[in-house]
Amino acid sequence: MHQYATLNLKIANLTNVDIDDKITINLVANNSQVEFYSASILNQNLVKNSLINVCHLARNTSSNIKAYEVLKGKSQGFIRCVSDIREKSSGSEAHQELRLLVLDKNAKADSDPVLLIDENDIVASHANAIGMLDPDQVFYLKSRGLNDGQAQELIVNGYFAPIFVDLPSPQLESELKQILKGMI
């Protein structure tokens, strides 16, 4: 419990199993912060339910949550992100960005960004998007010589790039990119 404590958490989910994630982060010291980034790909009939809960329990705390999912086949994904800014947490900031990319018409995606605010002097925001590939993005990439599959792969890789770039080993990065390619 230290002032100015920082947690930088990055998660890449490349598994072929159903998942129920429950992540709770309590910011209990003044000026503590969390940077959270997750990217998941679900294919076949996989189901993933995620609950990300960040509690701001001290002054001048900061949270920046980004959760991305790519859904294929008949997979189902749900993300609930709760930023709970409690009383006496003045000067705190909470930001959320939830993006779910649906690649097949039988895949289902849902999300629920939640801001619980019991303090006046704060900054909070959320962004939430669920959708299919942007035809303009695909068209642009195809105009540069890529086919549909390559364009889709490049866009999906973009969801995972912030995680892969910080890996300690180029060999690990290469192996994870191969696993991801096999799941697209």
Side-chain angles (χ1 to χ4, degrees), residues 17-20 42-43 45-49 74-77:
V17 296
D18 293 341
I19 294 178
D20 282 320
L42 305 164
N43 57 20
N45 294 317
L46 296 176
V47 176
K48 180 177 183 203
N49 294 300
K74 294 182 181 179
S75 62
Q76 298 176 33

Side-chain angles (χ1 to χ4, degrees), residues 61-110:
T61 55
S62 172
S63 64
N64 188 23
I65 310 300
K66 293 183 179 183
Y68 295 178
E69 284 187 4
V70 178
L71 298 106
K72 292 188 61 164
K74 294 182 181 179
S75 62
Q76 298 176 33
F78 174 73
I79 303 171
R80 173 173 286 137
C81 184
V82 179
S83 296
D84 187 357
I85 303 176
R86 302 276 174 91
E87 190 175 350
K88 298 184 181 172
S89 295
S90 63
S92 294
E93 286 195 36
H95 302 284
Q96 303 175 8
E97 182 178 321
L98 311 178
R99 304 255 182 241
L100 293 91
L101 177 61
V102 179
L103 297 180
D104 295 320
K105 65 180 179 180
N106 292 323
K108 298 201 182 325
D110 196 8

Side-chain angles (χ1 to χ4, degrees), residues 135 137-157:
Q137 283 182 330
V138 174
F139 176 79
Y140 174 79
L141 293 171
K142 287 174 71 174
S143 74
R144 299 297 182 255
L146 300 178
N147 63 34
D148 283 325
Q150 291 168 324
Q152 178 176 303
E153 183 179 336
L154 188 61
I155 292 167
V156 170
N157 280 332

Side-chain angles (χ1 to χ4, degrees), residues 106-137:
N106 292 323
K108 298 201 182 325
D110 196 8
S111 59
D112 185 20
V114 178
L115 298 172
L116 302 174
I117 301 169
D118 288 329
E119 182 61 58
N120 292 324
D121 179 24
I122 60 98
V123 176
S125 67
H126 65 80
N128 186 37
I130 299 172
M132 301 192 79
L133 285 174
D134 181 348
D136 291 336
Q137 283 182 330

